[in-house]
Amino acid sequence: MRTSIPVLVLLVVLVLLGVLILPPASAHGQSEVSEDMQTYAARAVEWLAAQQVPNAIEPDPYPTRRHLPIGYQIPRRSEEFRYIGRRSYTYDAAIAAVAFSAAGEYGRAENILLALGRLTDESGQLWFAYNTNNAWPNEEDSGGAVVRTGTVAWAGYAGTFYLRMTADRPVAPADRRIRDRILDLARRTARYVTDRQITDSGDPRYGLATGGHGSYELEVNEEGDVVEVYDPAELSWTSVEHNIDAYFL
């Protein structure tokens, strides 16, 4: 059995926000429902925390990937483990940071957001996923890796969500440095998105951001087999999902 971060995180966020906006307990058992929701949220947050490296899955992560959450919980005996068993997906990391912020686990949210900040460059680019046990992908070795605008936007949104959730907290000098680094992450990811917005008013895609870069095409090789071929080029298409993500960032 495999368990993935996206489903659990989205449930956590909905549960936590539901708990926050529920009216006071009534005679119809509202308090019992709210308590159950809080218990579930606490357990789910605990599971998310256990996915952050270093952990039992990857006790010695590559330094720049420390505190990223592994995206799937896969038995080591499964064939898929060698491919994605130690991989952190940027989208997963971003919504995990949102969930931790919503739960008041600000230190864990900060650790994820600071890790994403280490991994982005001046253009705001973030790869779709990162191995936690080695340095792939990176600027020198990125064969097969892709960048998606929506994923980058989620990372920036997670940063702004954290900053808003913590806006009323007292800020010590050390906290100010952390907040500045997270704000820098949000600004750089926003730059990546806006750099891909179509500015030609005559283009039907005007105002939308293109999808990122890196893709796979199906081709028939000399032996007659259908194979996937990686193309690192910029993408010209625009995605509704990516642009909704960009809107909220």
Side-chain angles (χ1 to χ4, degrees), residues 155-221:
Y157 175 77
T160 60
F161 185 87
Y162 162 85
L163 292 170
R164 290 195 175 206
M165 290 290 290
T166 60
D168 295 332
R169 297 176 66 206
V171 180
D175 295 330
R176 172 58 59 192
R177 289 193 292 272
I178 289 173
R179 293 178 68 82
D180 286 347
R181 289 167 64 185
I182 292 173
L183 179 59
D184 186 54
L185 164 68
R187 285 173 169 162
R188 279 183 283 160
T189 53
R191 185 184 311 135
Y192 181 88
V193 175
T194 55
D195 283 349
R196 274 151 191 80
Q197 278 190 287
I198 304 297
T199 58
D200 178 4
S201 60
D203 192 312
R205 302 168 299 163
Y206 176 62
L208 298 177
T210 54
H213 67 262
S215 61
Y216 286 85
E217 302 290 337
L218 295 179
E219 296 183 2
V220 178
N221 63 17

Side-chain angles (χ1 to χ4, degrees), residues 14 52 58 66 103 107 109 111 138 145 149 162 174 192 199-200 211 233:
L14 291 173
Q52 288 183 272
E58 180 46 65
R66 286 180 65 85
N111 284 338
N138 58 69
T149 300
Y162 162 85
Y192 181 88
T199 58
D200 178 4

Side-chain angles (χ1 to χ4, degrees), residues 70-245:
I70 292 176
Y72 291 90
Q73 191 176 56
I74 301 175
R76 289 179 179 271
R77 63 181 179 274
S78 296
E79 182 179 353
E80 297 94 334
F81 184 84
R82 62 178 293 197
Y83 301 107
I84 61 174
R86 294 186 176 95
R87 184 167 296 175
S88 179
Y89 292 84
T90 301
Y91 165 80
D92 294 357
I95 57 175
V98 170
F100 284 134
S101 295
E105 294 281 346
Y106 299 125
R108 290 194 176 277
E110 290 167 0
N111 284 338
I112 292 175
L113 295 168
L114 292 174
L116 293 175
R118 290 194 298 270
L119 293 168
T120 190
D121 58 21
E122 285 304 312
S123 75
Q125 169 184 293
L126 282 163
W127 298 104
F128 190 75
Y130 293 88
N131 288 349
T132 60
N133 58 315
N134 59 44
W136 185 90
N138 58 69
E139 188 175 347
E140 289 75 31
D141 178 18
S142 59
V146 301
V147 177
R148 291 294 177 264
T149 300
T151 300
V152 174
W154 261 103
Y157 175 77
T160 60
F161 185 87
Y162 162 85
L163 292 170
R164 290 195 175 206
M165 290 290 290
T166 60
D168 295 332
R169 297 176 66 206
V171 180
D175 295 330
R176 172 58 59 192
R177 289 193 292 272
I178 289 173
R179 293 178 68 82
D180 286 347
R181 289 167 64 185
I182 292 173
L183 179 59
D184 186 54
L185 164 68
R187 285 173 169 162
R188 279 183 283 160
T189 53
R191 185 184 311 135
Y192 181 88
V193 175
T194 55
D195 283 349
R196 274 151 191 80
Q197 278 190 287
I198 304 297
T199 58
D200 178 4
S201 60
D203 192 312
R205 302 168 299 163
Y206 176 62
L208 298 177
T210 54
H213 67 262
S215 61
Y216 286 85
E217 302 290 337
L218 295 179
E219 296 183 2
V220 178
N221 63 17
E222 294 179 355
E223 290 75 31
D225 298 322
V226 177
V227 295
E228 289 184 333
V229 177
Y230 172 68
D231 181 358
E234 282 275 341
L235 302 172
S236 61
W237 50 259
T238 60
S239 161
V240 172
E241 177 192 352
H242 290 184
N243 282 277
I244 292 173
D245 301 337

